[in-house]
Every structure is written in C-alpha cells, then in structure tokens.
Amino acid sequence: MTPKNLGQMIQRKRGSMGVRAAAGEIGISAATLSRIENGRVPDLDTLKKVCAWVGIDPASYLGMSSEQAESALPSVQVIFKKDRAVSPKTSRALAKLIQAAYQQFAATITPDGHG
Amino acid sequence: MLKRGFKSQCERRAVELRRQMHRVPVDPLPATDVARHFEITILSPSEIEGISDEDLNHLLREGSNEWSGFTLGISGHHLVVVNTAQSERRQNSVLMHELAHIILGHQLCAGTISSGGHFVPANYDQDQEDEAAWLGATLLVPRPALLWMRRVRMTNDQAATHFGVSPDLLSWRIRMTGIDYQLAAATTRHR
C-alpha cells in the first residue's frame, strides 16, 4: 500500500464526515489527517491510530508488523522542520540518506571505539 | 512539563561547559565546537557516500524545508547529520538541540523504513523534546549572556548575530528567563 492509497482509504471511510470530526475520532489533529489524506507519510504512532480507525493492519502499509517497525531502526531521531508528515519523495530520499549514513558511520566504529 | 530544578541545572551546565571549553559565559558557543568537545561526529548530507545525486538534490533543494537533520547512535557513538541547505543559525540550533539530547542521555527514538522505502518515524517523547529544546537554547544563550547584552546595550539583532542564533530563539530566551522584568525591578529598587 502506498501513502496515496492510505489517503484514499481514509477519504472513503470518512465519506461525508468532516475532517475535524474524523480527526477527533482518530485522536489526531485535523491538519495531520488532511496531510495524510493528501499522501503525506505519517509517523508510526499516527499511522497506528489511523489504521485502527480505517480497520486495516499497519503491516499492509509498513510491510512489517508495527512491533517489528518499532525496533527496525532503534536509534535514529529525525528532526523535521514543521511537521512530521512529510512528502513521499522526501520520506523516501531521507530513508536512503539515513541508511547510507548508518552504513558509513558503522564502518568507522571498531569494538574499541572510533576506528 | 520540565522537572523541577531542570532550568537552573541547564544554566549551570551552560556556564560549566563554557568554563571547560575555556570560554566565559558571554562568549558565543558554536554547536560544532560542542560536538568536537564531546567527540560527536557531524557530517553534511553531501559527505554521505552511496546516496544518489537525485535524492541528495531533492533533500537539499525542493525538500529542504521538510527536514532539519537526524541523529544516529551506534554502540554509544553518535553521528549528527544536519541539513546544510538551511540557514547557518538554524543549523546551529538544530545541532545544539541534538547535542542536548545526547548530553542528557536521552534514548533516541525508533523509526523504520516501510516496504515502499519511506522513512516512518516513531513517536517522540514530548518530555525529552522539551528538555532538549530548553538545554539547547540555554547552551547557546545562557542567562548571564542575556544580562550582559542588556548591560552593554546590544540590540536583539546584534546579540543574535553574536551568539549565532535566530532573532526568534533569542527573543524566546529573553521571555523565558524574564531578564527584562528582573532588570526593570532592579532599576525601580535603586530609584
């Protein structure tokens, strides 16, 4: 499932219900819900809430269970400029940068410390 | 909500760190110097090998307003990558915020990469975020530095330039420390 598919599923489930009312039911802000409907990539906690509301397993979005997802990259923290729901293109490029940085940094660390 | 005594602890740390780094409280403290002091690696996105030009260009141009940086931790060592497309002052505060997390011993939060290749961040610990924001800003502009800028009649813009921070961050520190009220009260008492 792509971020765009998830956005469409939310819109279908929401039907004629307003964004604010749906966001209230889900437990997220209306702005965040609107961004996810527009295909932005949410954070894990938001994703779990949205999936529970739509009635789907987060695994269909993540490609792994949310428990596995929580420990997949255990020690990374990303600082976003304004909002953590970023565009799919930025999210994908960031994922590649993080993976490359991880490999490069891991290679410099020896068991004794920095190599 | 910050723990009781945390703000005073931050002020003490900011002064103590400057002392360890042979600086006085009114000296600017660039985050890059603090990173060097704690042996924390900093890399710019263009120094990361194995990322395509297309992805790099996107992150530093079209998508540069969406992210500020990230921190990785491996076996007790830390790497901070800062978005070099953002202003130098923004980079300084982002880096100091991340260093504050490390100095405070916070656990980095988890994240994952979905099967579609998207980075999905786990949720942040708001208390840890608040603590890092407070310590990061205090390290950049401690209270004695704010009192000094008022004493020497520096404008906010001049002081922001001196400390390498945005005017917004400086104004926030002025408001949060209440130095203007403190100085006004002292003036009234001496009349």
Side-chain angles (χ1 to χ4, degrees):
Chain A
M1 184 197 297
T2 66
K4 199 174 163 190
N5 294 149
L6 178 65
Q8 288 164 344
M9 288 179 84
I10 298 167
Q11 280 176 337
R12 269 201 300 277
K13 159 97 183 181
R14 188 163 64 77
S16 59
M17 186 192 268
V19 174
R20 197 176 292 269
E25 277 191 10
I26 299 170
I28 60 176
S29 75
T32 300
L33 179 58
S34 181
R35 279 189 278 266
I36 299 167
E37 284 191 1
N38 286 319
R40 298 261 163 162
V41 181
D43 66 59
L44 198 54
D45 226 40
T46 306
L47 179 71
K48 284 195 271 186
K49 288 180 186 170
V50 168
C51 286
W53 187 74
V54 175
I56 54 169
D57 187 341
S60 59
Y61 182 98
L62 293 166
M64 66 187 96
S65 72
S66 48
E67 289 74 26
Q68 283 173 318
E70 271 167 13
S71 57
L73 270 177
S75 53
V76 60
Q77 176 155 290
V78 179
I79 318 130
F80 295 98
K81 185 78 185 285
K82 298 176 196 127
D83 193 314
R84 276 178 284 145
V86 297
S87 69
K89 199 170 177 188
T90 299
S91 170
R92 206 175 294 124
L94 207 45
K96 288 183 190 160
L97 185 67
I98 291 168
Q99 282 174 316
Y102 202 94
Q103 282 175 6
Q104 188 173 328
F105 188 50
T108 66
I109 295 168
T110 65
D112 303 314
H114 278 91
Chain B
M1 179 106 164
L2 295 169
K3 288 189 287 272
R4 193 179 160 84
F6 180 78
K7 294 175 186 174
S8 313
Q9 197 190 90
C10 290
E11 294 292 349
R12 284 196 295 275
R13 275 181 192 258
V15 172
E16 173 58 21
L17 185 57
R18 275 174 171 72
R19 196 192 59 75
Q20 285 173 13
M21 294 174 69
H22 310 292
R23 288 159 207 239
V24 293
V26 302
D27 282 339
L29 188 65
T32 47
D33 290 359
V34 177
R36 211 170 297 124
H37 179 77
F38 286 107
E39 297 183 340
I40 291 161
T41 309
I42 311 167
L43 288 177
S44 69
S46 54
E47 288 176 303
I48 310 288
E49 295 154 12
I51 174 109
S52 71
D53 287 347
E54 190 192 343
D55 287 327
L56 189 63
N57 282 338
H58 175 77
L59 289 171
L60 295 179
R61 290 181 189 166
E62 195 191 328
S64 69
N65 273 332
E66 292 189 278
W67 70 287
S68 291
F70 60 87
T71 300
L72 291 173
I74 303 176
S75 310
H77 301 286
H78 292 93
L79 164 70
V80 185
V81 176
V82 177
N83 181 351
T84 46
Q86 295 184 347
S87 75
E88 283 188 16
R89 293 182 193 192
R90 167 79 186 161
Q91 290 179 50
N92 197 29
S93 66
V94 165
L95 181 55
M96 198 63 106
H97 178 103
E98 287 307 287
L99 297 176
H101 276 300
I102 298 167
I103 292 167
L104 290 166
H106 290 165
Q107 283 286 316
L108 292 179
C109 75
T112 194
I113 292 165
S114 74
S115 54
H118 298 286
F119 177 71
V120 180
N123 216 8
Y124 291 100
D125 181 325
Q126 193 58 53
D127 287 345
Q128 290 196 358
E129 282 309 305
D130 293 345
E131 284 185 358
W134 197 278
L135 177 59
T138 308
L139 290 174
L140 288 165
V141 197
R143 188 186 185 90
L146 293 167
L147 291 169
W148 167 78
M149 69 165 266
R150 284 291 187 252
R151 205 167 48 242
V152 300
R153 298 184 188 282
M154 223 179 217
T155 65
N156 285 11
D157 279 350
Q158 286 170 334
T161 304
H162 176 78
F163 293 108
V165 300
S166 68
D168 284 351
L169 187 142
L170 187 83
S171 303
W172 184 73
R173 282 289 296 152
I174 290 170
R175 280 199 316 279
M176 290 301 122
T177 52
I179 55 145
D180 284 341
Y181 293 105
Q182 184 191 339
L183 292 172
T187 308
T188 311
R189 273 201 304 273
H190 287 105
R191 267 185 196 148

